[in-house]
Amino acid sequence: MGIVAFQVDTGADHTCLHPADAAALDIPFSQLNRNQTLSVMGVGGTSLYYWEVAVLVFRDTTGDVVSRSMNLLIAEPSDINAPLNSLLGLDVINRWRMDYAPLEGRLHFFTE
């Protein structure tokens, strides 16, 4: 298990794990489900993603933990997506309430 700093993306339908984070988590690309792929067009071009069931565990500043079992898109490494941050998409964001205070530099999520 490792830690991933997701970029919140209200324009992303799905949560995506990109190459640098996948490498840090030792994701075995040769074992990903080749029958469950999705070609996604983004700002830099098109990338291939694998649909995999994953458990994402989130910890808040008090140490409380929330976990979600979900389908996660894992990007096949390419020149296009190599520099991209992993994205927290609407499939997770829509389950929570979000409080964004840009002048205070604060973004909070509430699960209840």
Side-chain angles (χ1 to χ4, degrees):
M1 183 172 11
I3 296 175
V4 174
F6 286 97
Q7 179 175 328
V8 175
D9 188 346
T10 59
D13 292 328
H14 305 285
T15 296
C16 304
L17 189 68
H18 283 118
D21 292 317
L25 295 173
D26 292 324
I27 300 292
F29 279 93
S30 64
Q31 296 177 23
L32 297 180
N33 187 349
R34 305 276 181 217
N35 296 321
Q36 296 291 323
T37 61
L38 179 65
S39 184
V40 177
M41 178 71 151
V43 174
T46 302
S47 294
L48 181 66
Y49 290 81
Y50 299 93
W51 283 104
E52 293 291 338
V53 176
V55 176
L56 273 60
V57 179
F58 301 91
R59 182 175 312 208
D60 68 16
T61 55
T62 67
D64 289 341
V65 172
V66 174
S67 64
R68 297 275 185 256
S69 178
M70 57 181 291
N71 288 319
L72 177 66
L73 287 175
I74 303 173
E76 182 171 82
S78 72
D79 291 341
I80 292 170
N81 60 34
L84 299 179
N85 295 320
S86 292
L87 303 176
L88 190 67
L90 291 175
D91 54 346
V92 172
I93 296 169
N94 282 344
R95 296 180 187 195
W96 299 338
R97 182 171 61 87
M98 183 171 56
D99 179 26
Y100 176 49
L103 297 178
E104 298 171 22
R106 181 174 48 106
L107 175 63
H108 284 227
F109 287 98
F110 302 89
T111 59
E112 298 175 8

